[in-house]
Amino acid sequence: MPLEPVSLSLLIIAAFLAGVLNALAGGGSFLTLPALVFTGVPPVAANATGTAALLPGYLASAWACRDLIRAPAGLTLRGVILLGGVGGALGAFLLLATSDAAFGIIVPWLLLAATMLFALGPRLNRALARRPGRPGGWGRAAVLGVCGYGGYFNGGMGIVMLAAFRLLGVEDLNAANGLKNLLSAVLTLIAVVIYALGGAVSWAQFPPMALAAVLGGLAGARLGRWLPPRVLHHGIVLVGAVTTLIFFLD
């Protein structure tokens, strides 16, 4: 069934802005999830469809920074990819096992947690930067847990992932961002395949949203050259807070 013009316009705008946010700092799901729910897509399908629509942007980001990607001490890139794939798969299966009613109850709390992660993220990473890196089991478990969270919901994943890399001893921010983009692409790809096989993706909304997200990602890459990071950070927190409030009041 063709989408109504108003719904289609809302989804395209949300996906475009989500692509911009993801290219700059993350947080695109703050826009795609509520837009899909508000246009009538059930909560679980809205989460799966929004994640699928943002996948091309994650893949492009990982490819663009491939020269920055370095494995943490004590791990290989193959090991990092394995952690991302396993975590993404576990999170995706958990989403498919969650009913729409249950996910509708969980979503406001997930949005609240993601918003708080965005708000506290810079402080968290500064605190971890003052501590010596501790590569080992805790760091691997943290990465696996973050990837599982990303496969289930995705919001705020980048901030926690950067913190997990600190625990693995990754001090260089460019290398950490490269690893973040790689893991985001891997876990999202695995999750979307599982979503699709489980029939959770609403395909009518996918093509226009995916195209809009890619265009938004390209625009975000240019915008990031002059937009102050502090302004961007506060803007994303504000979007997350408003979205969270709306879901709690709904």
Side-chain angles (χ1 to χ4, degrees), residues 88-117:
L90 291 174
F93 281 124
L94 181 60
L95 178 69
L96 293 182
T98 306
S99 67
D100 281 315
F103 194 71
I105 295 172
I106 295 170
V107 162
W109 297 101
L110 290 173
L111 289 170
L112 177 61
T115 301
M116 293 178 66
L117 287 172

mmCIF file with all atom_site columns, all heavy atoms in Angstrom, residues 88-117:
data_model
loop_
_atom_site.group_PDB
_atom_site.id
_atom_site.type_symbol
_atom_site.label_atom_id
_atom_site.label_alt_id
_atom_site.label_comp_id
_atom_site.label_asym_id
_atom_site.label_entity_id
_atom_site.label_seq_id
_atom_site.pdbx_PDB_ins_code
_atom_site.Cartn_x
_atom_site.Cartn_y
_atom_site.Cartn_z
_atom_site.occupancy
_atom_site.B_iso_or_equiv
_atom_site.pdbx_formal_charge
_atom_site.auth_seq_id
_atom_site.auth_comp_id
_atom_site.auth_asym_id
_atom_site.auth_atom_id
_atom_site.pdbx_PDB_model_num
ATOM 1   N N   . GLY A 1 88  ? 25.314 -8.218  18.085 1.00 0.00 ? 88  GLY A N   1
ATOM 2   C CA  . GLY A 1 88  ? 24.207 -7.756  17.250 1.00 0.00 ? 88  GLY A CA  1
ATOM 3   C C   . GLY A 1 88  ? 23.155 -8.825  17.046 1.00 0.00 ? 88  GLY A C   1
ATOM 4   O O   . GLY A 1 88  ? 21.947 -8.551  17.080 1.00 0.00 ? 88  GLY A O   1
ATOM 5   N N   . ALA A 1 89  ? 23.600 -10.080 16.858 1.00 0.00 ? 89  ALA A N   1
ATOM 6   C CA  . ALA A 1 89  ? 22.660 -11.185 16.664 1.00 0.00 ? 89  ALA A CA  1
ATOM 7   C C   . ALA A 1 89  ? 21.837 -11.439 17.924 1.00 0.00 ? 89  ALA A C   1
ATOM 8   O O   . ALA A 1 89  ? 20.613 -11.619 17.853 1.00 0.00 ? 89  ALA A O   1
ATOM 9   C CB  . ALA A 1 89  ? 23.415 -12.448 16.260 1.00 0.00 ? 89  ALA A CB  1
ATOM 10  N N   . LEU A 1 90  ? 22.506 -11.443 19.079 1.00 0.00 ? 90  LEU A N   1
ATOM 11  C CA  . LEU A 1 90  ? 21.779 -11.682 20.333 1.00 0.00 ? 90  LEU A CA  1
ATOM 12  C C   . LEU A 1 90  ? 20.736 -10.592 20.573 1.00 0.00 ? 90  LEU A C   1
ATOM 13  O O   . LEU A 1 90  ? 19.596 -10.883 20.965 1.00 0.00 ? 90  LEU A O   1
ATOM 14  C CB  . LEU A 1 90  ? 22.773 -11.730 21.504 1.00 0.00 ? 90  LEU A CB  1
ATOM 15  C CG  . LEU A 1 90  ? 23.719 -12.930 21.541 1.00 0.00 ? 90  LEU A CG  1
ATOM 16  C CD1 . LEU A 1 90  ? 24.736 -12.773 22.674 1.00 0.00 ? 90  LEU A CD1 1
ATOM 17  C CD2 . LEU A 1 90  ? 22.939 -14.229 21.707 1.00 0.00 ? 90  LEU A CD2 1
ATOM 18  N N   . GLY A 1 91  ? 21.125 -9.339  20.341 1.00 0.00 ? 91  GLY A N   1
ATOM 19  C CA  . GLY A 1 91  ? 20.178 -8.247  20.525 1.00 0.00 ? 91  GLY A CA  1
ATOM 20  C C   . GLY A 1 91  ? 19.001 -8.330  19.562 1.00 0.00 ? 91  GLY A C   1
ATOM 21  O O   . GLY A 1 91  ? 17.855 -8.059  19.939 1.00 0.00 ? 91  GLY A O   1
ATOM 22  N N   . ALA A 1 92  ? 19.286 -8.699  18.311 1.00 0.00 ? 92  ALA A N   1
ATOM 23  C CA  . ALA A 1 92  ? 18.220 -8.797  17.310 1.00 0.00 ? 92  ALA A CA  1
ATOM 24  C C   . ALA A 1 92  ? 17.233 -9.914  17.652 1.00 0.00 ? 92  ALA A C   1
ATOM 25  O O   . ALA A 1 92  ? 16.011 -9.740  17.533 1.00 0.00 ? 92  ALA A O   1
ATOM 26  C CB  . ALA A 1 92  ? 18.831 -9.039  15.926 1.00 0.00 ? 92  ALA A CB  1
ATOM 27  N N   . PHE A 1 93  ? 17.748 -11.064 18.061 1.00 0.00 ? 93  PHE A N   1
ATOM 28  C CA  . PHE A 1 93  ? 16.860 -12.167 18.453 1.00 0.00 ? 93  PHE A CA  1
ATOM 29  C C   . PHE A 1 93  ? 16.007 -11.776 19.663 1.00 0.00 ? 93  PHE A C   1
ATOM 30  O O   . PHE A 1 93  ? 14.832 -12.136 19.744 1.00 0.00 ? 93  PHE A O   1
ATOM 31  C CB  . PHE A 1 93  ? 17.674 -13.426 18.764 1.00 0.00 ? 93  PHE A CB  1
ATOM 32  C CG  . PHE A 1 93  ? 18.121 -14.178 17.541 1.00 0.00 ? 93  PHE A CG  1
ATOM 33  C CD1 . PHE A 1 93  ? 19.466 -14.455 17.335 1.00 0.00 ? 93  PHE A CD1 1
ATOM 34  C CD2 . PHE A 1 93  ? 17.207 -14.603 16.592 1.00 0.00 ? 93  PHE A CD2 1
ATOM 35  C CE1 . PHE A 1 93  ? 19.888 -15.153 16.210 1.00 0.00 ? 93  PHE A CE1 1
ATOM 36  C CE2 . PHE A 1 93  ? 17.606 -15.304 15.453 1.00 0.00 ? 93  PHE A CE2 1
ATOM 37  C CZ  . PHE A 1 93  ? 18.960 -15.581 15.263 1.00 0.00 ? 93  PHE A CZ  1
ATOM 38  N N   . LEU A 1 94  ? 16.611 -11.040 20.583 1.00 0.00 ? 94  LEU A N   1
ATOM 39  C CA  . LEU A 1 94  ? 15.852 -10.588 21.748 1.00 0.00 ? 94  LEU A CA  1
ATOM 40  C C   . LEU A 1 94  ? 14.723 -9.647  21.335 1.00 0.00 ? 94  LEU A C   1
ATOM 41  O O   . LEU A 1 94  ? 13.610 -9.718  21.871 1.00 0.00 ? 94  LEU A O   1
ATOM 42  C CB  . LEU A 1 94  ? 16.786 -9.888  22.740 1.00 0.00 ? 94  LEU A CB  1
ATOM 43  C CG  . LEU A 1 94  ? 16.149 -9.379  24.034 1.00 0.00 ? 94  LEU A CG  1
ATOM 44  C CD1 . LEU A 1 94  ? 15.511 -10.528 24.819 1.00 0.00 ? 94  LEU A CD1 1
ATOM 45  C CD2 . LEU A 1 94  ? 17.184 -8.657  24.895 1.00 0.00 ? 94  LEU A CD2 1
ATOM 46  N N   . LEU A 1 95  ? 14.994 -8.770  20.357 1.00 0.00 ? 95  LEU A N   1
ATOM 47  C CA  . LEU A 1 95  ? 13.947 -7.867  19.877 1.00 0.00 ? 95  LEU A CA  1
ATOM 48  C C   . LEU A 1 95  ? 12.800 -8.653  19.262 1.00 0.00 ? 95  LEU A C   1
ATOM 49  O O   . LEU A 1 95  ? 11.620 -8.353  19.514 1.00 0.00 ? 95  LEU A O   1
ATOM 50  C CB  . LEU A 1 95  ? 14.514 -6.878  18.853 1.00 0.00 ? 95  LEU A CB  1
ATOM 51  C CG  . LEU A 1 95  ? 13.482 -5.917  18.253 1.00 0.00 ? 95  LEU A CG  1
ATOM 52  C CD1 . LEU A 1 95  ? 12.986 -4.926  19.301 1.00 0.00 ? 95  LEU A CD1 1
ATOM 53  C CD2 . LEU A 1 95  ? 14.054 -5.167  17.054 1.00 0.00 ? 95  LEU A CD2 1
ATOM 54  N N   . LEU A 1 96  ? 13.124 -9.646  18.442 1.00 0.00 ? 96  LEU A N   1
ATOM 55  C CA  . LEU A 1 96  ? 12.078 -10.443 17.798 1.00 0.00 ? 96  LEU A CA  1
ATOM 56  C C   . LEU A 1 96  ? 11.246 -11.211 18.823 1.00 0.00 ? 96  LEU A C   1
ATOM 57  O O   . LEU A 1 96  ? 10.086 -11.524 18.567 1.00 0.00 ? 96  LEU A O   1
ATOM 58  C CB  . LEU A 1 96  ? 12.698 -11.421 16.793 1.00 0.00 ? 96  LEU A CB  1
ATOM 59  C CG  . LEU A 1 96  ? 13.364 -10.806 15.562 1.00 0.00 ? 96  LEU A CG  1
ATOM 60  C CD1 . LEU A 1 96  ? 13.891 -11.899 14.652 1.00 0.00 ? 96  LEU A CD1 1
ATOM 61  C CD2 . LEU A 1 96  ? 12.389 -9.904  14.800 1.00 0.00 ? 96  LEU A CD2 1
ATOM 62  N N   . ALA A 1 97  ? 11.848 -11.509 19.972 1.00 0.00 ? 97  ALA A N   1
ATOM 63  C CA  . ALA A 1 97  ? 11.120 -12.237 21.014 1.00 0.00 ? 97  ALA A CA  1
ATOM 64  C C   . ALA A 1 97  ? 10.289 -11.306 21.899 1.00 0.00 ? 97  ALA A C   1
ATOM 65  O O   . ALA A 1 97  ? 9.552  -11.776 22.761 1.00 0.00 ? 97  ALA A O   1
ATOM 66  C CB  . ALA A 1 97  ? 12.103 -13.024 21.889 1.00 0.00 ? 97  ALA A CB  1
ATOM 67  N N   . THR A 1 98  ? 10.412 -9.992  21.669 1.00 0.00 ? 98  THR A N   1
ATOM 68  C CA  . THR A 1 98  ? 9.679  -9.013  22.474 1.00 0.00 ? 98  THR A CA  1
ATOM 69  C C   . THR A 1 98  ? 8.384  -8.637  21.767 1.00 0.00 ? 98  THR A C   1
ATOM 70  O O   . THR A 1 98  ? 8.395  -8.295  20.587 1.00 0.00 ? 98  THR A O   1
ATOM 71  C CB  . THR A 1 98  ? 10.527 -7.741  22.678 1.00 0.00 ? 98  THR A CB  1
ATOM 72  O OG1 . THR A 1 98  ? 11.799 -8.098  23.227 1.00 0.00 ? 98  THR A OG1 1
ATOM 73  C CG2 . THR A 1 98  ? 9.820  -6.770  23.625 1.00 0.00 ? 98  THR A CG2 1
ATOM 74  N N   . SER A 1 99  ? 7.277  -8.680  22.477 1.00 0.00 ? 99  SER A N   1
ATOM 75  C CA  . SER A 1 99  ? 5.989  -8.324  21.870 1.00 0.00 ? 99  SER A CA  1
ATOM 76  C C   . SER A 1 99  ? 5.904  -6.808  21.686 1.00 0.00 ? 99  SER A C   1
ATOM 77  O O   . SER A 1 99  ? 6.636  -6.036  22.330 1.00 0.00 ? 99  SER A O   1
ATOM 78  C CB  . SER A 1 99  ? 4.839  -8.796  22.764 1.00 0.00 ? 99  SER A CB  1
ATOM 79  O OG  . SER A 1 99  ? 4.828  -8.064  23.982 1.00 0.00 ? 99  SER A OG  1
ATOM 80  N N   . ASP A 1 100 ? 4.992  -6.383  20.800 1.00 0.00 ? 100 ASP A N   1
ATOM 81  C CA  . ASP A 1 100 ? 4.794  -4.947  20.587 1.00 0.00 ? 100 ASP A CA  1
ATOM 82  C C   . ASP A 1 100 ? 4.347  -4.254  21.869 1.00 0.00 ? 100 ASP A C   1
ATOM 83  O O   . ASP A 1 100 ? 4.776  -3.139  22.170 1.00 0.00 ? 100 ASP A O   1
ATOM 84  C CB  . ASP A 1 100 ? 3.753  -4.709  19.486 1.00 0.00 ? 100 ASP A CB  1
ATOM 85  C CG  . ASP A 1 100 ? 4.338  -4.896  18.097 1.00 0.00 ? 100 ASP A CG  1
ATOM 86  O OD1 . ASP A 1 100 ? 5.441  -4.386  17.841 1.00 0.00 ? 100 ASP A OD1 1
ATOM 87  O OD2 . ASP A 1 100 ? 3.685  -5.541  17.259 1.00 0.00 ? 100 ASP A OD2 1
ATOM 88  N N   . ALA A 1 101 ? 3.486  -4.925  22.629 1.00 0.00 ? 101 ALA A N   1
ATOM 89  C CA  . ALA A 1 101 ? 2.998  -4.331  23.880 1.00 0.00 ? 101 ALA A CA  1
ATOM 90  C C   . ALA A 1 101 ? 4.146  -4.125  24.863 1.00 0.00 ? 101 ALA A C   1
ATOM 91  O O   . ALA A 1 101 ? 4.282  -3.062  25.482 1.00 0.00 ? 101 ALA A O   1
ATOM 92  C CB  . ALA A 1 101 ? 1.927  -5.220  24.497 1.00 0.00 ? 101 ALA A CB  1
ATOM 93  N N   . ALA A 1 102 ? 5.002  -5.151  24.997 1.00 0.00 ? 102 ALA A N   1
ATOM 94  C CA  . ALA A 1 102 ? 6.128  -5.046  25.920 1.00 0.00 ? 102 ALA A CA  1
ATOM 95  C C   . ALA A 1 102 ? 7.136  -4.009  25.444 1.00 0.00 ? 102 ALA A C   1
ATOM 96  O O   . ALA A 1 102 ? 7.643  -3.207  26.237 1.00 0.00 ? 102 ALA A O   1
ATOM 97  C CB  . ALA A 1 102 ? 6.805  -6.411  26.070 1.00 0.00 ? 102 ALA A CB  1
ATOM 98  N N   . PHE A 1 103 ? 7.411  -3.998  24.140 1.00 0.00 ? 103 PHE A N   1
ATOM 99  C CA  . PHE A 1 103 ? 8.388  -3.047  23.618 1.00 0.00 ? 103 PHE A CA  1
ATOM 100 C C   . PHE A 1 103 ? 7.869  -1.618  23.739 1.00 0.00 ? 103 PHE A C   1
ATOM 101 O O   . PHE A 1 103 ? 8.641  -0.691  23.986 1.00 0.00 ? 103 PHE A O   1
ATOM 102 C CB  . PHE A 1 103 ? 8.713  -3.373  22.157 1.00 0.00 ? 103 PHE A CB  1
ATOM 103 C CG  . PHE A 1 103 ? 9.934  -2.654  21.645 1.00 0.00 ? 103 PHE A CG  1
ATOM 104 C CD1 . PHE A 1 103 ? 11.201 -2.996  22.085 1.00 0.00 ? 103 PHE A CD1 1
ATOM 105 C CD2 . PHE A 1 103 ? 9.813  -1.629  20.715 1.00 0.00 ? 103 PHE A CD2 1
ATOM 106 C CE1 . PHE A 1 103 ? 12.326 -2.336  21.620 1.00 0.00 ? 103 PHE A CE1 1
ATOM 107 C CE2 . PHE A 1 103 ? 10.925 -0.968  20.245 1.00 0.00 ? 103 PHE A CE2 1
ATOM 108 C CZ  . PHE A 1 103 ? 12.187 -1.325  20.696 1.00 0.00 ? 103 PHE A CZ  1
ATOM 109 N N   . GLY A 1 104 ? 6.554  -1.458  23.571 1.00 0.00 ? 104 GLY A N   1
ATOM 110 C CA  . GLY A 1 104 ? 5.964  -0.130  23.739 1.00 0.00 ? 104 GLY A CA  1
ATOM 111 C C   . GLY A 1 104 ? 6.156  0.403   25.147 1.00 0.00 ? 104 GLY A C   1
ATOM 112 O O   . GLY A 1 104 ? 6.321  1.612   25.345 1.00 0.00 ? 104 GLY A O   1
ATOM 113 N N   . ILE A 1 105 ? 6.147  -0.501  26.124 1.00 0.00 ? 105 ILE A N   1
ATOM 114 C CA  . ILE A 1 105 ? 6.386  -0.099  27.516 1.00 0.00 ? 105 ILE A CA  1
ATOM 115 C C   . ILE A 1 105 ? 7.870  0.199   27.744 1.00 0.00 ? 105 ILE A C   1
ATOM 116 O O   . ILE A 1 105 ? 8.241  1.131   28.465 1.00 0.00 ? 105 ILE A O   1
ATOM 117 C CB  . ILE A 1 105 ? 5.911  -1.207  28.477 1.00 0.00 ? 105 ILE A CB  1
ATOM 118 C CG1 . ILE A 1 105 ? 4.392  -1.376  28.376 1.00 0.00 ? 105 ILE A CG1 1
ATOM 119 C CG2 . ILE A 1 105 ? 6.330  -0.904  29.914 1.00 0.00 ? 105 ILE A CG2 1
ATOM 120 C CD1 . ILE A 1 105 ? 3.855  -2.567  29.137 1.00 0.00 ? 105 ILE A CD1 1
ATOM 121 N N   . ILE A 1 106 ? 8.735  -0.585  27.094 1.00 0.00 ? 106 ILE A N   1
ATOM 122 C CA  . ILE A 1 106 ? 10.183 -0.452  27.292 1.00 0.00 ? 106 ILE A CA  1
ATOM 123 C C   . ILE A 1 106 ? 10.750 0.785   26.601 1.00 0.00 ? 106 ILE A C   1
ATOM 124 O O   . ILE A 1 106 ? 11.686 1.414   27.106 1.00 0.00 ? 106 ILE A O   1
ATOM 125 C CB  . ILE A 1 106 ? 10.900 -1.723  26.774 1.00 0.00 ? 106 ILE A CB  1
ATOM 126 C CG1 . ILE A 1 106 ? 10.495 -2.936  27.608 1.00 0.00 ? 106 ILE A CG1 1
ATOM 127 C CG2 . ILE A 1 106 ? 12.419 -1.553  26.801 1.00 0.00 ? 106 ILE A CG2 1
ATOM 128 C CD1 . ILE A 1 106 ? 10.969 -4.252  27.019 1.00 0.00 ? 106 ILE A CD1 1
ATOM 129 N N   . VAL A 1 107 ? 10.185 1.151   25.436 1.00 0.00 ? 107 VAL A N   1
ATOM 130 C CA  . VAL A 1 107 ? 10.762 2.211   24.599 1.00 0.00 ? 107 VAL A CA  1
ATOM 131 C C   . VAL A 1 107 ? 11.031 3.518   25.355 1.00 0.00 ? 107 VAL A C   1
ATOM 132 O O   . VAL A 1 107 ? 12.128 4.082   25.230 1.00 0.00 ? 107 VAL A O   1
ATOM 133 C CB  . VAL A 1 107 ? 9.879  2.464   23.362 1.00 0.00 ? 107 VAL A CB  1
ATOM 134 C CG1 . VAL A 1 107 ? 10.196 3.825   22.735 1.00 0.00 ? 107 VAL A CG1 1
ATOM 135 C CG2 . VAL A 1 107 ? 10.132 1.389   22.324 1.00 0.00 ? 107 VAL A CG2 1
ATOM 136 N N   . PRO A 1 108 ? 10.083 4.057   26.126 1.00 0.00 ? 108 PRO A N   1
ATOM 137 C CA  . PRO A 1 108 ? 10.399 5.317   26.814 1.00 0.00 ? 108 PRO A CA  1
ATOM 138 C C   . PRO A 1 108 ? 11.618 5.216   27.719 1.00 0.00 ? 108 PRO A C   1
ATOM 139 O O   . PRO A 1 108 ? 12.411 6.151   27.813 1.00 0.00 ? 108 PRO A O   1
ATOM 140 C CB  . PRO A 1 108 ? 9.122  5.608   27.613 1.00 0.00 ? 108 PRO A CB  1
ATOM 141 C CG  . PRO A 1 108 ? 8.038  4.855   26.920 1.00 0.00 ? 108 PRO A CG  1
ATOM 142 C CD  . PRO A 1 108 ? 8.694  3.627   26.386 1.00 0.00 ? 108 PRO A CD  1
ATOM 143 N N   . TRP A 1 109 ? 11.763 4.070   28.384 1.00 0.00 ? 109 TRP A N   1
ATOM 144 C CA  . TRP A 1 109 ? 12.901 3.881   29.279 1.00 0.00 ? 109 TRP A CA  1
ATOM 145 C C   . TRP A 1 109 ? 14.203 3.748   28.491 1.00 0.00 ? 109 TRP A C   1
ATOM 146 O O   . TRP A 1 109 ? 15.255 4.246   28.923 1.00 0.00 ? 109 TRP A O   1
ATOM 147 C CB  . TRP A 1 109 ? 12.673 2.657   30.162 1.00 0.00 ? 109 TRP A CB  1
ATOM 148 C CG  . TRP A 1 109 ? 11.493 2.830   31.061 1.00 0.00 ? 109 TRP A CG  1
ATOM 149 C CD1 . TRP A 1 109 ? 10.237 2.319   30.891 1.00 0.00 ? 109 TRP A CD1 1
ATOM 150 C CD2 . TRP A 1 109 ? 11.446 3.608   32.262 1.00 0.00 ? 109 TRP A CD2 1
ATOM 151 N NE1 . TRP A 1 109 ? 9.406  2.719   31.900 1.00 0.00 ? 109 TRP A NE1 1
ATOM 152 C CE2 . TRP A 1 109 ? 10.125 3.511   32.765 1.00 0.00 ? 109 TRP A CE2 1
ATOM 153 C CE3 . TRP A 1 109 ? 12.376 4.371   32.970 1.00 0.00 ? 109 TRP A CE3 1
ATOM 154 C CZ2 . TRP A 1 109 ? 9.720  4.148   33.928 1.00 0.00 ? 109 TRP A CZ2 1
ATOM 155 C CZ3 . TRP A 1 109 ? 11.979 5.007   34.139 1.00 0.00 ? 109 TRP A CZ3 1
ATOM 156 C CH2 . TRP A 1 109 ? 10.676 4.893   34.605 1.00 0.00 ? 109 TRP A CH2 1
ATOM 157 N N   . LEU A 1 110 ? 14.140 3.083   27.328 1.00 0.00 ? 110 LEU A N   1
ATOM 158 C CA  . LEU A 1 110 ? 15.317 2.990   26.469 1.00 0.00 ? 110 LEU A CA  1
ATOM 159 C C   . LEU A 1 110 ? 15.722 4.374   25.961 1.00 0.00 ? 110 LEU A C   1
ATOM 160 O O   . LEU A 1 110 ? 16.913 4.719   25.920 1.00 0.00 ? 110 LEU A O   1
ATOM 161 C CB  . LEU A 1 110 ? 15.044 2.055   25.286 1.00 0.00 ? 110 LEU A CB  1
ATOM 162 C CG  . LEU A 1 110 ? 14.905 0.569   25.606 1.00 0.00 ? 110 LEU A CG  1
ATOM 163 C CD1 . LEU A 1 110 ? 14.477 -0.202  24.360 1.00 0.00 ? 110 LEU A CD1 1
ATOM 164 C CD2 . LEU A 1 110 ? 16.218 0.005   26.145 1.00 0.00 ? 110 LEU A CD2 1
ATOM 165 N N   . LEU A 1 111 ? 14.730 5.157   25.562 1.00 0.00 ? 111 LEU A N   1
ATOM 166 C CA  . LEU A 1 111 ? 15.016 6.515   25.093 1.00 0.00 ? 111 LEU A CA  1
ATOM 167 C C   . LEU A 1 111 ? 15.607 7.366   26.221 1.00 0.00 ? 111 LEU A C   1
ATOM 168 O O   . LEU A 1 111 ? 16.533 8.151   25.994 1.00 0.00 ? 111 LEU A O   1
ATOM 169 C CB  . LEU A 1 111 ? 13.741 7.166   24.554 1.00 0.00 ? 111 LEU A CB  1
ATOM 170 C CG  . LEU A 1 111 ? 13.222 6.620   23.222 1.00 0.00 ? 111 LEU A CG  1
ATOM 171 C CD1 . LEU A 1 111 ? 11.830 7.171   22.928 1.00 0.00 ? 111 LEU A CD1 1
ATOM 172 C CD2 . LEU A 1 111 ? 14.178 6.979   22.085 1.00 0.00 ? 111 LEU A CD2 1
ATOM 173 N N   . LEU A 1 112 ? 15.059 7.199   27.428 1.00 0.00 ? 112 LEU A N   1
ATOM 174 C CA  . LEU A 1 112 ? 15.590 7.944   28.570 1.00 0.00 ? 112 LEU A CA  1
ATOM 175 C C   . LEU A 1 112 ? 17.037 7.555   28.841 1.00 0.00 ? 112 LEU A C   1
ATOM 176 O O   . LEU A 1 112 ? 17.898 8.421   29.066 1.00 0.00 ? 112 LEU A O   1
ATOM 177 C CB  . LEU A 1 112 ? 14.734 7.672   29.808 1.00 0.00 ? 112 LEU A CB  1
ATOM 178 C CG  . LEU A 1 112 ? 15.201 8.329   31.118 1.00 0.00 ? 112 LEU A CG  1
ATOM 179 C CD1 . LEU A 1 112 ? 15.201 9.848   30.979 1.00 0.00 ? 112 LEU A CD1 1
ATOM 180 C CD2 . LEU A 1 112 ? 14.311 7.887   32.282 1.00 0.00 ? 112 LEU A CD2 1
ATOM 181 N N   . ALA A 1 113 ? 17.318 6.250   28.811 1.00 0.00 ? 113 ALA A N   1
ATOM 182 C CA  . ALA A 1 113 ? 18.688 5.782   29.043 1.00 0.00 ? 113 ALA A CA  1
ATOM 183 C C   . ALA A 1 113 ? 19.627 6.306   27.964 1.00 0.00 ? 113 ALA A C   1
ATOM 184 O O   . ALA A 1 113 ? 20.743 6.756   28.255 1.00 0.00 ? 113 ALA A O   1
ATOM 185 C CB  . ALA A 1 113 ? 18.713 4.249   29.073 1.00 0.00 ? 113 ALA A CB  1
ATOM 186 N N   . ALA A 1 114 ? 19.181 6.258   26.703 1.00 0.00 ? 114 ALA A N   1
ATOM 187 C CA  . ALA A 1 114 ? 20.020 6.731   25.607 1.00 0.00 ? 114 ALA A CA  1
ATOM 188 C C   . ALA A 1 114 ? 20.287 8.227   25.724 1.00 0.00 ? 114 ALA A C   1
ATOM 189 O O   . ALA A 1 114 ? 21.402 8.708   25.463 1.00 0.00 ? 114 ALA A O   1
ATOM 190 C CB  . ALA A 1 114 ? 19.354 6.413   24.269 1.00 0.00 ? 114 ALA A CB  1
ATOM 191 N N   . THR A 1 115 ? 19.264 8.988   26.114 1.00 0.00 ? 115 THR A N   1
ATOM 192 C CA  . THR A 1 115 ? 19.436 10.442  26.282 1.00 0.00 ? 115 THR A CA  1
ATOM 193 C C   . THR A 1 115 ? 20.438 10.742  27.392 1.00 0.00 ? 115 THR A C   1
ATOM 194 O O   . THR A 1 115 ? 21.306 11.618  27.248 1.00 0.00 ? 115 THR A O   1
ATOM 195 C CB  . THR A 1 115 ? 18.087 11.098  26.608 1.00 0.00 ? 115 THR A CB  1
ATOM 196 O OG1 . THR A 1 115 ? 17.160 10.820  25.545 1.00 0.00 ? 115 THR A OG1 1
ATOM 197 C CG2 . THR A 1 115 ? 18.235 12.603  26.737 1.00 0.00 ? 115 THR A CG2 1
ATOM 198 N N   . MET A 1 116 ? 20.335 10.008  28.497 1.00 0.00 ? 116 MET A N   1
ATOM 199 C CA  . MET A 1 116 ? 21.269 10.213  29.594 1.00 0.00 ? 116 MET A CA  1
ATOM 200 C C   . MET A 1 116 ? 22.689 9.838   29.186 1.00 0.00 ? 116 MET A C   1
ATOM 201 O O   . MET A 1 116 ? 23.662 10.502  29.591 1.00 0.00 ? 116 MET A O   1
ATOM 202 C CB  . MET A 1 116 ? 20.826 9.405   30.817 1.00 0.00 ? 116 MET A CB  1
ATOM 203 C CG  . MET A 1 116 ? 19.520 9.894   31.430 1.00 0.00 ? 116 MET A CG  1
ATOM 204 S SD  . MET A 1 116 ? 18.980 8.896   32.849 1.00 0.00 ? 116 MET A SD  1
ATOM 205 C CE  . MET A 1 116 ? 20.287 9.265   34.011 1.00 0.00 ? 116 MET A CE  1
ATOM 206 N N   . LEU A 1 117 ? 22.820 8.792   28.376 1.00 0.00 ? 117 LEU A N   1
ATOM 207 C CA  . LEU A 1 117 ? 24.141 8.406   27.896 1.00 0.00 ? 117 LEU A CA  1
ATOM 208 C C   . LEU A 1 117 ? 24.749 9.514   27.046 1.00 0.00 ? 117 LEU A C   1
ATOM 209 O O   . LEU A 1 117 ? 25.949 9.801   27.138 1.00 0.00 ? 117 LEU A O   1
ATOM 210 C CB  . LEU A 1 117 ? 24.049 7.104   27.088 1.00 0.00 ? 117 LEU A CB  1
ATOM 211 C CG  . LEU A 1 117 ? 23.798 5.829   27.890 1.00 0.00 ? 117 LEU A CG  1
ATOM 212 C CD1 . LEU A 1 117 ? 23.542 4.665   26.963 1.00 0.00 ? 117 LEU A CD1 1
ATOM 213 C CD2 . LEU A 1 117 ? 24.989 5.538   28.798 1.00 0.00 ? 117 LEU A CD2 1
#
